[in-house]
Amino acid sequence: MRPTGIRHALRRANSMYTARGLRPQATSTSSIPRTSLKRATGTTMSARHYSLFNSPHPSKPPRYGQPHPSSHPHLVGETELTPGVPASEYERRRKNLMEYLGEGARVICMGGTVRLMSQSIFYRFRQSTDFYYLTGFTEPDATVILESAPSTPRGYKYTLFVPPKDMHDALWEGERAGVEGAIRIFGADEAHANTSLSSYLPGLLSVSSDQTVYAALPPKPSPSASSQPFHPPSPRRRSSLLKLFSASSTSELNPSDPPHLLLAAALSSEHAVPLEKPIQQLRMKKCPLELGMMKKAAQISSHAHTKVMRHAQAGKSERELEAVFEFECAMKGAERQAYVPVVASGANALVIHYTRNDCVLDPNDLVLIDAGCEYNMYTSDITRTFPVAGKFSQPQRDLYEAVLNAQKECIRRCTIEGNVSLSELHRASCGLLLEELRQIGFKLTVGDVERQLYPHFLSHHLGSDLHDCPTRDRNATLVEGNVISIEPGVYVPYDNKFPKAFHGLGIRIEDEVAFTKDGPLVLSANAPKEIADVEGACQGLLE
């Protein structure tokens, strides 16, 4: 049963973090406790406790808003805060960030919000990456505040604003960690109901000359400018926001203004500094624990790619292959897909981000599948191209080998000693493809490859986000702990400028590569890539 009632829709629509600049509609607040707890004093202020079920089964229904050792021992170990990650790792990340930002820094990082697919039907929630990196907290509509405090044992103050426990929401959506759980489970020094965040913002945004506020808003619904809602503020609100970030006091702030609107105004006025760049500077270097998560994600996806190759037959649909991939990933423990899979048969592969996946496989087609799962909030990103017939034709084989040779050489150059950058690797891939294609009959000059046959960039960082840490400079030297994709491709249009035998062929081969002191570590090595292995997988000789 889906919670599609009017009351539920209004409660979702009135969430302070999805208000998008509009004042919420009036609703009953009798079941919304305004709670606040402090770890340091042990004081409880207006705390109200709810228990939806007195169940004899301690794990069902779960007592918290995410997996916990008491309810999900198959996912979370006794010493872990989230699957595979101990609380000490999140403590290390927060400490590293505050030390990196320096004395006097304040961090305001808002978590993700629930997105609606249609009316009150919601998409499955996925936490904002930077917020999760600092807290491990996976419930929506939360905010973390970090404040420099060099004289304390921790070196900083850690405050969480979280959804309070609520009987109505517990009935429809399950229990939450609540304010108490934010302290007891997630280790916050202080915690408050997220409904009270606006009243705390004036003090947090009022800083002296030796202090800096770093702020991060929830992720945007879409990067497309045409998809952004436009809600012009009222004259009163516009006036109050301008006063707030002028030289005058923050006492002009109206606490009823939505927090995300206030932070957006602060960022646009340069009263605050975006958090993304400094936190992503730290996130880019993966620790051994993170590399282990990414390796597991890649292994699950590699297994699924092998199964798809075996399943493909003429007459089946691209969507069937997509379903096989998603099923195999789920059966191996993946939480979700890292992105919408590309399953492009035949000339559909000429469309770089083809995701309709609604055509039928022809016997002479190649299938380009770009798909990867997410495991414990770490993504994988793998592309393979294989023949529906189970064996490459000669033109398919020649073009595949050209791309494969260039890809393997790019991977070979992923060394710490090489002092390479993403831009240098991309330039190398263009030159390598140019030479490989000339050898199989393409009459090309310098620039032809990137202008027509290879229109995308070779690489991007990988991590908790698919295109991880986008603030990273492509010209920066890659170092130990960086994980990137290596994905050259060739897409031959129906153009007589190119040999006819290759018209309509699109081939991309993508692996995940970690920079280590021992050389490049290919996390996705289990996905068949050599011609003999790809044909063997298609023919059922590999499992």
Side-chain angles (χ1 to χ4, degrees):
M1 180 178 181
R2 293 184 180 275
T4 57
I6 295 175
R7 177 177 170 82
H8 181 272
L10 283 173
R11 293 175 67 85
R12 278 293 180 203
N14 288 341
S15 169
M16 69 169 64
Y17 298 6
T18 55
R20 300 292 172 197
L22 297 178
R23 195 173 305 283
Q25 299 293 319
T27 59
S28 171
T29 59
S30 60
S31 62
I32 306 178
R34 298 179 65 84
T35 54
S36 175
L37 290 177
K38 294 186 179 181
R39 168 185 288 272
T41 63
T43 303
T44 302
M45 299 170 59
S46 303
R48 293 163 64 182
H49 305 273
Y50 298 109
S51 178
L52 184 60
F53 303 111
N54 292 317
S55 171
H57 306 288
S59 63
K60 297 179 181 179
R63 299 178 182 276
Y64 308 105
Q66 66 189 76
H68 183 269
S70 64
S71 58
H72 296 74
H74 58 294
L75 296 178
V76 187
E78 283 294 333
T79 63
E80 296 172 351
L81 182 61
T82 60
V85 185
S88 59
E89 171 62 17
Y90 292 101
E91 179 70 25
R92 182 188 70 83
R93 295 171 181 178
R94 292 189 295 268
K95 188 176 182 63
N96 284 350
L97 175 64
M98 297 308 289
E99 289 178 349
Y100 181 80
L101 297 179
E103 190 170 336
R106 293 181 180 180
V107 170
I108 306 173
C109 182
M110 301 183 77
T113 63
V114 172
R115 302 282 167 77
L116 297 182
M117 182 173 66
S118 64
Q119 299 182 39
S120 60
I121 305 303
F122 49 83
Y123 288 104
R124 187 182 295 273
F125 177 70
R126 201 265 195 189
Q127 186 58 276
S128 170
T129 300
D130 289 341
F131 178 87
Y132 181 84
Y133 179 81
L134 294 173
T135 67
F137 191 82
T138 64
E139 296 179 36
D141 303 328
T143 298
V144 60
I145 310 292
L146 304 177
E147 300 173 78
S148 176
S151 61
T152 64
R154 206 171 205 169
Y156 66 93
K157 181 183 176 182
Y158 172 28
T159 304
L160 279 174
F161 289 81
V162 300
K165 285 183 174 292
D166 180 275
M167 291 180 67
H168 176 272
D169 288 346
L171 176 63
W172 284 98
E173 301 170 4
E175 291 284 2
R176 299 166 173 166
V179 173
E180 286 183 274
I183 291 177
R184 182 169 56 84
I185 299 171
F186 293 90
D189 295 311
E190 188 173 315
H192 307 276
N194 60 2
T195 51
S196 64
L197 178 58
S198 286
S199 64
Y200 284 85
L201 282 178
L204 291 168
L205 293 171
S206 177
V207 295
S208 59
S209 59
D210 60 343
Q211 294 176 312
T212 304
V213 175
Y214 296 85
L217 291 162
K220 294 180 180 178
S222 166
S224 171
S226 62
S227 72
Q228 304 303 312
F230 177 68
H231 299 303
S234 66
R236 185 213 59 78
R237 179 171 296 168
R238 187 183 299 116
S239 175
S240 71
L241 290 174
L242 289 175
K243 289 179 180 178
L244 170 61
F245 301 113
S246 67
S248 62
S249 169
T250 58
S251 62
E252 298 288 344
L253 172 64
N254 187 328
S256 64
D257 282 322
H260 76 274
L261 182 63
L262 299 176
L263 288 182
L267 287 167
S268 65
S269 69
E270 298 184 356
H271 188 80
V273 178
L275 175 65
E276 286 79 5
K277 192 167 185 177
I279 195 172
Q280 289 177 16
Q281 188 73 19
L282 300 178
R283 277 182 44 212
M284 253 178 312
K285 293 184 66 174
K286 274 61 180 183
C287 68
L289 184 150
E290 292 175 293
L291 287 177
M293 298 283 197
M294 297 187 70
K295 177 67 173 176
K296 179 66 174 178
Q299 289 174 336
I300 293 173
S301 296
S302 296
H303 167 82
H305 274 278
T306 305
K307 291 294 185 181
V308 166
M309 292 179 188
R310 179 68 184 106
H311 186 84
Q313 295 178 11
K316 291 184 180 295
S317 70
E318 295 165 339
R319 188 153 292 149
E320 285 182 69
L321 302 191
E322 179 182 0
V324 170
F325 187 91
E326 293 179 345
F327 171 80
E328 294 293 341
C329 289
M331 292 299 289
K332 293 291 184 179
E335 302 161 80
R336 60 181 70 87
Q337 294 300 296
Y339 50 99
V340 179
V342 171
V343 185
S345 60
N348 288 339
L350 302 184
V351 180
I352 308 302
H353 283 167
Y354 171 84
T355 57
R356 291 182 59 176
N357 303 344
D358 56 3
C359 288
V360 175
L361 277 57
D362 293 328
N364 297 321
D365 279 346
L366 289 178
V367 175
L368 185 159
I369 175 167
D370 185 344
C373 72
E374 183 177 298
Y375 178 78
N376 291 352
M377 287 288 286
Y378 284 90
T379 62
S380 60
D381 188 7
I382 304 171
T383 305
R384 291 294 184 263
T385 308
F386 62 89
V388 171
K391 191 172 182 62
F392 289 98
S393 68
Q394 193 58 51
Q396 291 171 347
R397 184 187 187 98
D398 289 344
L399 190 61
Y400 186 92
E401 283 188 326
V403 177
L404 180 62
N405 290 340
Q407 198 242 13
K408 289 163 69 174
E409 176 58 24
C410 287
I411 291 175
R412 190 189 66 79
R413 299 186 185 194
C414 293
T415 63
I416 298 171
E417 295 77 12
N419 294 317
V420 294
S421 66
L422 294 180
S423 294
E424 288 171 6
L425 287 171
H426 178 71
R427 288 193 292 271
S429 71
C430 293
L432 290 165
L433 284 174
L434 176 64
E435 294 305 314
E436 290 287 339
L437 293 174
R438 281 174 171 171
Q439 291 181 33
I440 60 173
F442 282 75
K443 299 186 186 315
L444 302 171
T445 60
V446 175
D448 284 346
V449 170
E450 49 265 56
R451 277 195 298 267
Q452 289 185 272
L453 299 174
Y454 174 38
H456 59 79
F457 200 70
L458 171 75
S459 181
H460 57 81
H461 283 270
L462 284 163
S464 288
D465 284 333
L466 178 67
H467 289 252
D468 207 40
C469 305
T471 59
R472 178 65 163 173
D473 181 3
R474 284 179 170 179
N475 295 313
T477 299
L478 295 162
V479 299
E480 183 176 2
N482 289 164
V483 181
I484 65 171
S485 66
I486 295 291
E487 49 179 313
V490 172
Y491 315 89
V492 187
Y494 292 92
D495 186 332
N496 290 331
K497 179 179 180 179
F498 307 113
K500 189 172 183 179
F502 303 110
H503 285 185
L505 296 184
I507 295 174
R508 182 164 70 250
I509 306 171
E510 176 183 17
D511 280 305
E512 307 167 29
V513 182
F515 280 69
T516 76
K517 62 179 183 302
D518 299 319
L521 173 63
V522 181
L523 303 178
S524 49
N526 289 351
K529 180 170 70 172
E530 299 294 337
I531 286 180
D533 292 335
V534 170
E535 292 181 341
C538 292
Q539 298 166 23
L541 303 178
L542 294 179
E543 294 294 339

